[in-house]
């Protein structure tokens, strides 16, 4: 494949199950795979399916290396709204990933640029990320690469937009408590993952998804860089797919996928 593969499912449960199957296949094929994880509401069901597969002994994550896209700067990892907390609670704890194999950007580092460089080096020394899971912001961000991010950026400090801070206000008990700064993998970093798996559900994602898949490649819609990726899979529910102009074509292509290419 050398294109974005757009897969539209009837609802987010079906799309998440398919996403979990893609991850499961990777881990079965390569037990020491490096997986990149995302936070937010979108991947929660996919993580529940992975937890279920682990409980039913279909999947063993003991040799997997985990990376995460981003973390807030200056927030203690034990804070309930940190992405460390989110990952251990929703996935890493239940699937028993080894702590020494978990790599989440260190937002408490005294030297943030050095921590960013070390994060990049750790990705390289793990052999590179096999599958990077991504959500998308209403403004088209992936990771915390907000609009105007360099399309070749590496792991670095970013300042959140007011909209993104509002979107996270609930987790902090008030918009004003959301940190302004984060560490995020860059778009160049994300593009080096061998597979990118972008998930988007609900009508508020319809516009950024149409821009990402069918619009121009632009730093104003950071996810649009995925048009240049060799293997980007986009898993959507009907609502998130609603503004795609080539929707019938995507459905036809997926419906006629040769057996050997099926997930
Ligand atoms: P969400 O966040 O999954 O909570 O919608 C996605 C994002 O902002 O990247």
């Amino acid at each position: 494949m050398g294109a974005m593969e757009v897969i539209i499912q009837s609802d987010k449960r079906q799309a998440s199950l398919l996403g979990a199957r893609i991850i499961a296949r990777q881990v079965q094929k390569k037990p020491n795979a490096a997986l990149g994880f995302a936070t937010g509401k979108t991947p929660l069901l996919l993580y529940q399916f992975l937890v279920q597969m682990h409980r039913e002994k279909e999947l063993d994550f003991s040799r997997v290396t985990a990376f995460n896209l981003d973390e807030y700067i200056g927030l203690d990892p034990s804070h309930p709204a940190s992405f460390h907390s989110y990952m251990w609670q929703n996935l890493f704890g239940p699937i028993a990933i080894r702590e020494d194999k978990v790599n989440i950007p260190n937002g408490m580092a005294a030297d943030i640029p050095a921590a960013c460089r070390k994060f990049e080096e750790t990705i390289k020394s793990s052999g590179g990320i096999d599958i990077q899971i991504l959500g998308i912001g209403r403004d088209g961000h992936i990771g915390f690469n907000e609009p105007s991010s360099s399309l070749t950026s590496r792991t670095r400090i970013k300042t959140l937009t007011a909209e993104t801070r509002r979107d996270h206000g609930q987790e902090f008990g008030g918009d004003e408590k959301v940190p302004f700064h984060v560490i995020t993998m860059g778009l160049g970093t994300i593009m080096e993952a061998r597979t990118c798996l972008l998930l988007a559900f609900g009508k508020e994602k319809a516009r950024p998804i149409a821009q990402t898949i069918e619009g121009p490649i632009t730093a104003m819609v950071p996810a649009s860089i995925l048009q240049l990726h060799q293997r980007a899979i986009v898993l959507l529910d009907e609502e998130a797919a609603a503004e795609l102009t080539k929707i019938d074509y995507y459905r036809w292509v997926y419906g006629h996928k040769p057996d050997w290419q099926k997930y």
Side-chain angles (χ1 to χ4, degrees):
M1 189 169 62
M4 267 195 183
E5 182 176 19
V6 181
I7 305 177
I8 302 153
Q9 299 280 282
S10 52
D11 56 35
K12 69 175 176 187
R13 195 182 157 76
Q14 287 306 319
S16 301
L17 183 57
L18 186 54
R21 283 221 305 270
I22 292 170
I23 304 284
R25 252 195 198 200
Q26 175 70 60
V27 175
Q28 280 153 359
K29 198 170 76 188
K30 184 180 173 189
N32 64 344
L35 301 176
F37 294 101
T39 52
K41 287 186 273 300
T42 307
L44 279 173
L45 257 177
L46 186 155
Y47 294 161
Q48 281 174 25
F49 284 120
L50 292 182
V51 170
Q52 195 179 328
M53 289 171 183
H54 168 78
R55 288 216 178 105
E56 288 165 4
K57 311 240 178 294
E58 282 171 44
L59 266 188
D60 175 9
F61 289 91
S62 60
R63 294 177 59 202
V64 163
T65 301
F67 291 94
N68 258 75
L69 285 167
D70 42 23
E71 182 57 287
Y72 296 102
I73 289 179
L75 193 67
D76 196 88
S78 67
H79 190 288
S82 78
F83 294 156
H84 278 77
S85 296
Y86 172 107
M87 288 310 302
W88 281 102
Q89 185 185 332
N90 293 305
L91 190 68
F92 296 159
I95 66 175
I97 286 210
R98 279 175 40 187
E99 198 165 356
D100 61 331
K101 290 191 173 279
V102 169
N103 302 280
I104 304 177
N106 179 7
M108 296 296 279
D111 184 344
I112 298 279
C116 293
R117 282 194 298 275
K118 184 158 167 273
F119 190 78
E120 291 272 340
E121 280 159 21
T122 312
I123 295 176
K124 275 212 183 70
S125 63
S126 78
I129 295 174
D130 290 296
I131 302 184
Q132 175 64 55
I133 297 170
L134 299 165
I136 185 167
R138 291 185 292 138
D139 58 4
H141 70 220
I142 48 176
F144 268 139
N145 294 283
E146 298 283 38
S148 82
S149 286
S150 159
L151 297 175
T152 60
S153 49
R154 311 303 307 186
T155 303
R156 70 207 182 294
I157 301 177
K158 280 300 285 183
T159 306
L160 297 180
T161 62
E163 178 183 76
T164 299
R165 290 185 61 246
R166 272 197 303 277
D167 284 347
H168 287 275
Q170 213 183 344
E171 297 139 48
F172 285 87
D175 299 359
E176 71 290 349
K177 295 189 188 137
V178 181
F180 282 90
H181 296 105
V182 294
I183 299 180
T184 182
M185 272 190 213
L187 294 170
T189 320
I190 291 169
M191 286 294 285
E192 283 171 10
R194 283 183 272 277
T195 296
C196 283
L197 187 61
L198 174 65
L199 286 82
F201 309 134
K203 58 180 186 308
E204 72 272 26
K205 302 295 171 69
R207 192 158 159 265
I209 280 297
Q211 289 173 322
T212 294
I213 297 169
E214 297 180 341
I217 297 174
T218 166
M220 293 312 285
V221 182
S224 65
I225 190 63
L226 293 172
Q227 291 177 26
L228 292 179
H229 199 280
Q230 283 296 307
R231 192 162 191 267
I233 304 170
V234 186
L235 290 176
L236 305 173
D237 66 359
E238 293 287 349
E239 287 183 340
E243 289 185 31
L244 291 167
T245 58
K246 300 263 183 225
I247 190 163
D248 295 337
Y249 173 69
Y250 308 133
R251 285 195 215 278
W252 198 92
V253 171
Y254 185 66
H256 294 78
K257 215 167 144 81
D259 275 347
W260 60 270
Q261 267 193 356
K262 287 198 172 132
Y263 300 121

PDB file of all heavy atoms in Angstrom, residues 38-44 69-70 86 134-144 146 164 167-168 171 198-201 204-205, ligand 1:
ATOM      1  N   ALA A  38      -1.689   6.939  22.075  1.00  0.00           N
ATOM      2  CA  ALA A  38      -2.265   8.277  22.155  1.00  0.00           C
ATOM      3  C   ALA A  38      -3.202   8.316  23.360  1.00  0.00           C
ATOM      4  O   ALA A  38      -3.625   7.265  23.857  1.00  0.00           O
ATOM      5  CB  ALA A  38      -3.059   8.567  20.880  1.00  0.00           C
ATOM      6  N   THR A  39      -3.530   9.499  23.818  1.00  0.00           N
ATOM      7  CA  THR A  39      -4.493   9.630  24.916  1.00  0.00           C
ATOM      8  C   THR A  39      -5.774  10.274  24.365  1.00  0.00           C
ATOM      9  O   THR A  39      -5.971  10.336  23.166  1.00  0.00           O
ATOM     10  CB  THR A  39      -3.880  10.465  26.059  1.00  0.00           C
ATOM     11  OG1 THR A  39      -3.388  11.674  25.493  1.00  0.00           O
ATOM     12  CG2 THR A  39      -2.752   9.717  26.750  1.00  0.00           C
ATOM     13  N   GLY A  40      -6.638  10.744  25.238  1.00  0.00           N
ATOM     14  CA  GLY A  40      -7.908  11.332  24.790  1.00  0.00           C
ATOM     15  C   GLY A  40      -9.039  10.317  24.847  1.00  0.00           C
ATOM     16  O   GLY A  40      -8.827   9.161  25.222  1.00  0.00           O
ATOM     17  N   LYS A  41     -10.212  10.759  24.453  1.00  0.00           N
ATOM     18  CA  LYS A  41     -11.396   9.890  24.522  1.00  0.00           C
ATOM     19  C   LYS A  41     -11.380   8.844  23.405  1.00  0.00           C
ATOM     20  O   LYS A  41     -11.856   7.729  23.571  1.00  0.00           O
ATOM     21  CB  LYS A  41     -12.670  10.740  24.368  1.00  0.00           C
ATOM     22  CG  LYS A  41     -12.974  11.584  25.595  1.00  0.00           C
ATOM     23  CD  LYS A  41     -14.312  12.294  25.475  1.00  0.00           C
ATOM     24  CE  LYS A  41     -14.241  13.640  24.778  1.00  0.00           C
ATOM     25  NZ  LYS A  41     -13.375  14.662  25.394  1.00  0.00           N
ATOM     26  N   THR A  42     -10.828   9.238  22.261  1.00  0.00           N
ATOM     27  CA  THR A  42     -10.960   8.404  21.064  1.00  0.00           C
ATOM     28  C   THR A  42     -10.421   6.977  21.202  1.00  0.00           C
ATOM     29  O   THR A  42     -11.126   6.041  20.829  1.00  0.00           O
ATOM     30  CB  THR A  42     -10.293   9.118  19.869  1.00  0.00           C
ATOM     31  OG1 THR A  42     -10.854  10.436  19.780  1.00  0.00           O
ATOM     32  CG2 THR A  42     -10.525   8.371  18.581  1.00  0.00           C
ATOM     33  N   PRO A  43      -9.195   6.758  21.736  1.00  0.00           N
ATOM     34  CA  PRO A  43      -8.687   5.379  21.721  1.00  0.00           C
ATOM     35  C   PRO A  43      -9.162   4.502  22.893  1.00  0.00           C
ATOM     36  O   PRO A  43      -8.764   3.349  22.990  1.00  0.00           O
ATOM     37  CB  PRO A  43      -7.163   5.570  21.777  1.00  0.00           C
ATOM     38  CG  PRO A  43      -6.949   6.891  22.406  1.00  0.00           C
ATOM     39  CD  PRO A  43      -8.179   7.714  22.176  1.00  0.00           C
ATOM     40  N   LEU A  44     -10.028   5.039  23.760  1.00  0.00           N
ATOM     41  CA  LEU A  44     -10.396   4.294  24.976  1.00  0.00           C
ATOM     42  C   LEU A  44     -11.010   2.914  24.680  1.00  0.00           C
ATOM     43  O   LEU A  44     -10.656   1.925  25.338  1.00  0.00           O
ATOM     44  CB  LEU A  44     -11.368   5.116  25.832  1.00  0.00           C
ATOM     45  CG  LEU A  44     -10.699   6.182  26.710  1.00  0.00           C
ATOM     46  CD1 LEU A  44     -11.769   7.048  27.388  1.00  0.00           C
ATOM     47  CD2 LEU A  44      -9.778   5.545  27.755  1.00  0.00           C
ATOM     48  N   LEU A  69       2.747   9.843  22.618  1.00  0.00           N
ATOM     49  CA  LEU A  69       2.905  11.039  21.798  1.00  0.00           C
ATOM     50  C   LEU A  69       3.328  12.264  22.584  1.00  0.00           C
ATOM     51  O   LEU A  69       4.117  13.077  22.121  1.00  0.00           O
ATOM     52  CB  LEU A  69       1.571  11.380  21.120  1.00  0.00           C
ATOM     53  CG  LEU A  69       1.147  10.508  19.951  1.00  0.00           C
ATOM     54  CD1 LEU A  69      -0.319  10.781  19.631  1.00  0.00           C
ATOM     55  CD2 LEU A  69       2.015  10.802  18.733  1.00  0.00           C
ATOM     56  N   ASP A  70       2.756  12.430  23.790  1.00  0.00           N
ATOM     57  CA  ASP A  70       2.903  13.743  24.423  1.00  0.00           C
ATOM     58  C   ASP A  70       2.641  13.706  25.924  1.00  0.00           C
ATOM     59  O   ASP A  70       2.171  12.699  26.456  1.00  0.00           O
ATOM     60  CB  ASP A  70       1.966  14.764  23.745  1.00  0.00           C
ATOM     61  CG  ASP A  70       0.579  14.185  23.442  1.00  0.00           C
ATOM     62  OD1 ASP A  70       0.194  13.202  24.105  1.00  0.00           O
ATOM     63  OD2 ASP A  70      -0.106  14.712  22.556  1.00  0.00           O
ATOM     64  N   TYR A  86      -3.250   8.499  32.774  1.00  0.00           N
ATOM     65  CA  TYR A  86      -4.208   7.959  31.799  1.00  0.00           C
ATOM     66  C   TYR A  86      -3.725   6.610  31.268  1.00  0.00           C
ATOM     67  O   TYR A  86      -4.480   5.635  31.206  1.00  0.00           O
ATOM     68  CB  TYR A  86      -4.364   8.972  30.657  1.00  0.00           C
ATOM     69  CG  TYR A  86      -5.166   8.485  29.465  1.00  0.00           C
ATOM     70  CD1 TYR A  86      -6.459   8.969  29.228  1.00  0.00           C
ATOM     71  CD2 TYR A  86      -4.631   7.577  28.551  1.00  0.00           C
ATOM     72  CE1 TYR A  86      -7.197   8.545  28.116  1.00  0.00           C
ATOM     73  CE2 TYR A  86      -5.359   7.150  27.449  1.00  0.00           C
ATOM     74  CZ  TYR A  86      -6.630   7.628  27.236  1.00  0.00           C
ATOM     75  OH  TYR A  86      -7.343   7.204  26.141  1.00  0.00           O
ATOM     76  N   LEU A 134      -3.105   7.340  16.606  1.00  0.00           N
ATOM     77  CA  LEU A 134      -3.316   8.788  16.640  1.00  0.00           C
ATOM     78  C   LEU A 134      -4.798   9.119  16.790  1.00  0.00           C
ATOM     79  O   LEU A 134      -5.650   8.462  16.185  1.00  0.00           O
ATOM     80  CB  LEU A 134      -2.841   9.417  15.326  1.00  0.00           C
ATOM     81  CG  LEU A 134      -1.368   9.275  14.957  1.00  0.00           C
ATOM     82  CD1 LEU A 134      -1.156   9.615  13.482  1.00  0.00           C
ATOM     83  CD2 LEU A 134      -0.503  10.156  15.854  1.00  0.00           C
ATOM     84  N   GLY A 135      -5.087  10.157  17.569  1.00  0.00           N
ATOM     85  CA  GLY A 135      -6.398  10.798  17.521  1.00  0.00           C
ATOM     86  C   GLY A 135      -6.205  12.091  16.739  1.00  0.00           C
ATOM     87  O   GLY A 135      -5.098  12.397  16.288  1.00  0.00           O
ATOM     88  N   ILE A 136      -7.263  12.846  16.561  1.00  0.00           N
ATOM     89  CA  ILE A 136      -7.137  14.129  15.857  1.00  0.00           C
ATOM     90  C   ILE A 136      -7.924  15.192  16.631  1.00  0.00           C
ATOM     91  O   ILE A 136      -9.010  14.915  17.138  1.00  0.00           O
ATOM     92  CB  ILE A 136      -7.626  14.007  14.383  1.00  0.00           C
ATOM     93  CG1 ILE A 136      -7.377  15.297  13.595  1.00  0.00           C
ATOM     94  CG2 ILE A 136      -9.090  13.603  14.310  1.00  0.00           C
ATOM     95  CD1 ILE A 136      -7.550  15.132  12.084  1.00  0.00           C
ATOM     96  N   GLY A 137      -7.339  16.374  16.733  1.00  0.00           N
ATOM     97  CA  GLY A 137      -8.041  17.469  17.393  1.00  0.00           C
ATOM     98  C   GLY A 137      -9.037  18.118  16.440  1.00  0.00           C
ATOM     99  O   GLY A 137      -8.960  17.922  15.223  1.00  0.00           O
ATOM    100  N   ARG A 138      -9.932  18.902  16.982  1.00  0.00           N
ATOM    101  CA  ARG A 138     -10.907  19.597  16.121  1.00  0.00           C
ATOM    102  C   ARG A 138     -10.201  20.551  15.170  1.00  0.00           C
ATOM    103  O   ARG A 138     -10.723  20.894  14.111  1.00  0.00           O
ATOM    104  CB  ARG A 138     -11.937  20.341  16.982  1.00  0.00           C
ATOM    105  CG  ARG A 138     -12.850  19.366  17.717  1.00  0.00           C
ATOM    106  CD  ARG A 138     -13.940  20.072  18.461  1.00  0.00           C
ATOM    107  NE  ARG A 138     -13.407  20.838  19.583  1.00  0.00           N
ATOM    108  CZ  ARG A 138     -13.804  22.059  19.907  1.00  0.00           C
ATOM    109  NH1 ARG A 138     -14.724  22.678  19.196  1.00  0.00           N
ATOM    110  NH2 ARG A 138     -13.273  22.680  20.947  1.00  0.00           N
ATOM    111  N   ASP A 139      -8.995  20.985  15.548  1.00  0.00           N
ATOM    112  CA  ASP A 139      -8.214  21.880  14.689  1.00  0.00           C
ATOM    113  C   ASP A 139      -7.232  21.118  13.788  1.00  0.00           C
ATOM    114  O   ASP A 139      -6.373  21.717  13.156  1.00  0.00           O
ATOM    115  CB  ASP A 139      -7.440  22.878  15.564  1.00  0.00           C
ATOM    116  CG  ASP A 139      -6.511  22.192  16.570  1.00  0.00           C
ATOM    117  OD1 ASP A 139      -6.408  20.942  16.555  1.00  0.00           O
ATOM    118  OD2 ASP A 139      -5.879  22.904  17.378  1.00  0.00           O
ATOM    119  N   GLY A 140      -7.351  19.791  13.761  1.00  0.00           N
ATOM    120  CA  GLY A 140      -6.490  18.999  12.889  1.00  0.00           C
ATOM    121  C   GLY A 140      -5.146  18.629  13.499  1.00  0.00           C
ATOM    122  O   GLY A 140      -4.282  18.104  12.801  1.00  0.00           O
ATOM    123  N   HIS A 141      -4.977  18.868  14.814  1.00  0.00           N
ATOM    124  CA  HIS A 141      -3.682  18.489  15.399  1.00  0.00           C
ATOM    125  C   HIS A 141      -3.565  16.973  15.574  1.00  0.00           C
ATOM    126  O   HIS A 141      -4.574  16.289  15.744  1.00  0.00           O
ATOM    127  CB  HIS A 141      -3.399  19.236  16.720  1.00  0.00           C
ATOM    128  CG  HIS A 141      -4.240  18.832  17.884  1.00  0.00           C
ATOM    129  ND1 HIS A 141      -4.741  19.741  18.799  1.00  0.00           N
ATOM    130  CD2 HIS A 141      -4.669  17.623  18.334  1.00  0.00           C
ATOM    131  CE1 HIS A 141      -5.419  19.109  19.729  1.00  0.00           C
ATOM    132  NE2 HIS A 141      -5.401  17.831  19.479  1.00  0.00           N
ATOM    133  N   ILE A 142      -2.326  16.470  15.500  1.00  0.00           N
ATOM    134  CA  ILE A 142      -2.027  15.103  15.932  1.00  0.00           C
ATOM    135  C   ILE A 142      -0.888  15.208  16.933  1.00  0.00           C
ATOM    136  O   ILE A 142      -0.027  16.078  16.802  1.00  0.00           O
ATOM    137  CB  ILE A 142      -1.680  14.132  14.763  1.00  0.00           C
ATOM    138  CG1 ILE A 142      -0.654  14.729  13.798  1.00  0.00           C
ATOM    139  CG2 ILE A 142      -2.935  13.711  14.026  1.00  0.00           C
ATOM    140  CD1 ILE A 142      -0.217  13.771  12.688  1.00  0.00           C
ATOM    141  N   GLY A 143      -0.893  14.315  17.950  1.00  0.00           N
ATOM    142  CA  GLY A 143      -0.068  14.588  19.109  1.00  0.00           C
ATOM    143  C   GLY A 143      -0.551  15.945  19.598  1.00  0.00           C
ATOM    144  O   GLY A 143      -1.749  16.236  19.565  1.00  0.00           O
ATOM    145  N   PHE A 144       0.371  16.788  20.033  1.00  0.00           N
ATOM    146  CA  PHE A 144      -0.011  18.171  20.346  1.00  0.00           C
ATOM    147  C   PHE A 144       0.632  19.121  19.333  1.00  0.00           C
ATOM    148  O   PHE A 144       1.041  20.234  19.654  1.00  0.00           O
ATOM    149  CB  PHE A 144       0.393  18.543  21.769  1.00  0.00           C
ATOM    150  CG  PHE A 144      -0.681  18.292  22.814  1.00  0.00           C
ATOM    151  CD1 PHE A 144      -0.344  17.759  24.052  1.00  0.00           C
ATOM    152  CD2 PHE A 144      -2.016  18.614  22.569  1.00  0.00           C
ATOM    153  CE1 PHE A 144      -1.311  17.545  25.030  1.00  0.00           C
ATOM    154  CE2 PHE A 144      -2.987  18.397  23.542  1.00  0.00           C
ATOM    155  CZ  PHE A 144      -2.640  17.855  24.774  1.00  0.00           C
ATOM    156  N   GLU A 146       0.041  21.576  17.115  1.00  0.00           N
ATOM    157  CA  GLU A 146      -1.047  22.503  16.818  1.00  0.00           C
ATOM    158  C   GLU A 146      -0.843  23.114  15.430  1.00  0.00           C
ATOM    159  O   GLU A 146       0.252  23.053  14.869  1.00  0.00           O
ATOM    160  CB  GLU A 146      -1.046  23.625  17.876  1.00  0.00           C
ATOM    161  CG  GLU A 146      -1.286  23.138  19.310  1.00  0.00           C
ATOM    162  CD  GLU A 146      -2.749  22.795  19.613  1.00  0.00           C
ATOM    163  OE1 GLU A 146      -3.434  22.240  18.737  1.00  0.00           O
ATOM    164  OE2 GLU A 146      -3.186  23.083  20.750  1.00  0.00           O
ATOM    165  N   THR A 164      -7.607  24.042  22.385  1.00  0.00           N
ATOM    166  CA  THR A 164      -7.159  22.756  22.922  1.00  0.00           C
ATOM    167  C   THR A 164      -7.190  22.783  24.448  1.00  0.00           C
ATOM    168  O   THR A 164      -7.586  21.802  25.095  1.00  0.00           O
ATOM    169  CB  THR A 164      -5.739  22.431  22.409  1.00  0.00           C
ATOM    170  OG1 THR A 164      -5.785  22.355  20.982  1.00  0.00           O
ATOM    171  CG2 THR A 164      -5.222  21.125  22.968  1.00  0.00           C
ATOM    172  N   ASP A 167     -10.629  22.177  25.495  1.00  0.00           N
ATOM    173  CA  ASP A 167     -11.019  20.780  25.288  1.00  0.00           C
ATOM    174  C   ASP A 167     -10.545  19.884  26.427  1.00  0.00           C
ATOM    175  O   ASP A 167     -11.066  18.780  26.612  1.00  0.00           O
ATOM    176  CB  ASP A 167     -10.469  20.248  23.951  1.00  0.00           C
ATOM    177  CG  ASP A 167     -11.272  20.760  22.753  1.00  0.00           C
ATOM    178  OD1 ASP A 167     -12.379  21.306  22.970  1.00  0.00           O
ATOM    179  OD2 ASP A 167     -10.788  20.623  21.607  1.00  0.00           O
ATOM    180  N   HIS A 168      -9.531  20.327  27.174  1.00  0.00           N
ATOM    181  CA  HIS A 168      -9.003  19.512  28.277  1.00  0.00           C
ATOM    182  C   HIS A 168      -9.389  20.040  29.650  1.00  0.00           C
ATOM    183  O   HIS A 168      -8.963  19.483  30.668  1.00  0.00           O
ATOM    184  CB  HIS A 168      -7.480  19.399  28.156  1.00  0.00           C
ATOM    185  CG  HIS A 168      -7.064  18.496  27.023  1.00  0.00           C
ATOM    186  ND1 HIS A 168      -6.967  17.133  27.163  1.00  0.00           N
ATOM    187  CD2 HIS A 168      -6.780  18.768  25.733  1.00  0.00           C
ATOM    188  CE1 HIS A 168      -6.614  16.610  25.996  1.00  0.00           C
ATOM    189  NE2 HIS A 168      -6.498  17.574  25.117  1.00  0.00           N
ATOM    190  N   GLU A 171     -10.829  17.600  32.490  1.00  0.00           N
ATOM    191  CA  GLU A 171      -9.907  16.697  33.197  1.00  0.00           C
ATOM    192  C   GLU A 171      -9.183  17.414  34.340  1.00  0.00           C
ATOM    193  O   GLU A 171      -8.727  16.786  35.293  1.00  0.00           O
ATOM    194  CB  GLU A 171      -8.838  16.162  32.228  1.00  0.00           C
ATOM    195  CG  GLU A 171      -9.383  15.317  31.102  1.00  0.00           C
ATOM    196  CD  GLU A 171      -8.695  15.608  29.772  1.00  0.00           C
ATOM    197  OE1 GLU A 171      -7.458  15.645  29.730  1.00  0.00           O
ATOM    198  OE2 GLU A 171      -9.414  15.811  28.762  1.00  0.00           O
ATOM    199  N   LEU A 198      -4.838   6.275  12.474  1.00  0.00           N
ATOM    200  CA  LEU A 198      -5.574   7.455  12.943  1.00  0.00           C
ATOM    201  C   LEU A 198      -7.035   7.081  13.174  1.00  0.00           C
ATOM    202  O   LEU A 198      -7.688   6.524  12.287  1.00  0.00           O
ATOM    203  CB  LEU A 198      -5.471   8.564  11.895  1.00  0.00           C
ATOM    204  CG  LEU A 198      -6.285   9.838  12.111  1.00  0.00           C
ATOM    205  CD1 LEU A 198      -5.824  10.590  13.348  1.00  0.00           C
ATOM    206  CD2 LEU A 198      -6.192  10.755  10.898  1.00  0.00           C
ATOM    207  N   LEU A 199      -7.536   7.397  14.360  1.00  0.00           N
ATOM    208  CA  LEU A 199      -8.936   7.121  14.687  1.00  0.00           C
ATOM    209  C   LEU A 199      -9.678   8.435  14.896  1.00  0.00           C
ATOM    210  O   LEU A 199      -9.134   9.363  15.510  1.00  0.00           O
ATOM    211  CB  LEU A 199      -9.039   6.329  16.001  1.00  0.00           C
ATOM    212  CG  LEU A 199      -8.663   4.852  15.987  1.00  0.00           C
ATOM    213  CD1 LEU A 199      -7.161   4.690  16.090  1.00  0.00           C
ATOM    214  CD2 LEU A 199      -9.337   4.117  17.118  1.00  0.00           C
ATOM    215  N   ALA A 200     -10.906   8.495  14.390  1.00  0.00           N
ATOM    216  CA  ALA A 200     -11.723   9.689  14.635  1.00  0.00           C
ATOM    217  C   ALA A 200     -13.193   9.306  14.664  1.00  0.00           C
ATOM    218  O   ALA A 200     -13.671   8.598  13.772  1.00  0.00           O
ATOM    219  CB  ALA A 200     -11.479  10.742  13.559  1.00  0.00           C
ATOM    220  N   PHE A 201     -13.869   9.754  15.695  1.00  0.00           N
ATOM    221  CA  PHE A 201     -15.288   9.435  15.874  1.00  0.00           C
ATOM    222  C   PHE A 201     -16.076  10.696  16.207  1.00  0.00           C
ATOM    223  O   PHE A 201     -15.591  11.564  16.929  1.00  0.00           O
ATOM    224  CB  PHE A 201     -15.458   8.443  17.036  1.00  0.00           C
ATOM    225  CG  PHE A 201     -14.567   7.224  16.941  1.00  0.00           C
ATOM    226  CD1 PHE A 201     -13.857   6.781  18.050  1.00  0.00           C
ATOM    227  CD2 PHE A 201     -14.440   6.532  15.739  1.00  0.00           C
ATOM    228  CE1 PHE A 201     -13.026   5.662  17.965  1.00  0.00           C
ATOM    229  CE2 PHE A 201     -13.617   5.416  15.643  1.00  0.00           C
ATOM    230  CZ  PHE A 201     -12.907   4.984  16.761  1.00  0.00           C
ATOM    231  N   GLU A 204     -17.944  16.179  15.437  1.00  0.00           N
ATOM    232  CA  GLU A 204     -16.999  17.299  15.574  1.00  0.00           C
ATOM    233  C   GLU A 204     -15.651  16.994  14.895  1.00  0.00           C
ATOM    234  O   GLU A 204     -14.809  17.880  14.757  1.00  0.00           O
ATOM    235  CB  GLU A 204     -16.811  17.705  17.043  1.00  0.00           C
ATOM    236  CG  GLU A 204     -16.037  16.764  17.901  1.00  0.00           C
ATOM    237  CD  GLU A 204     -16.874  15.683  18.558  1.00  0.00           C
ATOM    238  OE1 GLU A 204     -17.954  15.304  18.038  1.00  0.00           O
ATOM    239  OE2 GLU A 204     -16.446  15.188  19.605  1.00  0.00           O
ATOM    240  N   LYS A 205     -15.468  15.727  14.444  1.00  0.00           N
ATOM    241  CA  LYS A 205     -14.231  15.378  13.741  1.00  0.00           C
ATOM    242  C   LYS A 205     -14.427  15.332  12.223  1.00  0.00           C
ATOM    243  O   LYS A 205     -13.473  15.112  11.485  1.00  0.00           O
ATOM    244  CB  LYS A 205     -13.697  14.025  14.252  1.00  0.00           C
ATOM    245  CG  LYS A 205     -13.411  13.983  15.756  1.00  0.00           C
ATOM    246  CD  LYS A 205     -12.295  14.923  16.148  1.00  0.00           C
ATOM    247  CE  LYS A 205     -12.120  15.085  17.654  1.00  0.00           C
ATOM    248  NZ  LYS A 205     -11.620  13.924  18.357  1.00  0.00           N
TER     249      LYS A 205
HETATM  250  P1  LIG B   1     -10.106  13.241  21.802  1.00  0.00           P
HETATM  251  O1  LIG B   1      -8.771  14.092  21.561  1.00  0.00           O
HETATM  252  O2  LIG B   1      -9.765  11.828  21.460  1.00  0.00           O
HETATM  253  O3  LIG B   1     -10.405  13.407  23.270  1.00  0.00           O
HETATM  254  O4  LIG B   1     -11.141  13.806  20.897  1.00  0.00           O
HETATM  255  C1  LIG B   1      -8.105  13.973  20.342  1.00  0.00           C
HETATM  256  C2  LIG B   1      -6.971  14.980  20.248  1.00  0.00           C
HETATM  257  O5  LIG B   1      -7.143  16.121  20.670  1.00  0.00           O
HETATM  258  O6  LIG B   1      -5.909  14.621  19.730  1.00  0.00           O
END
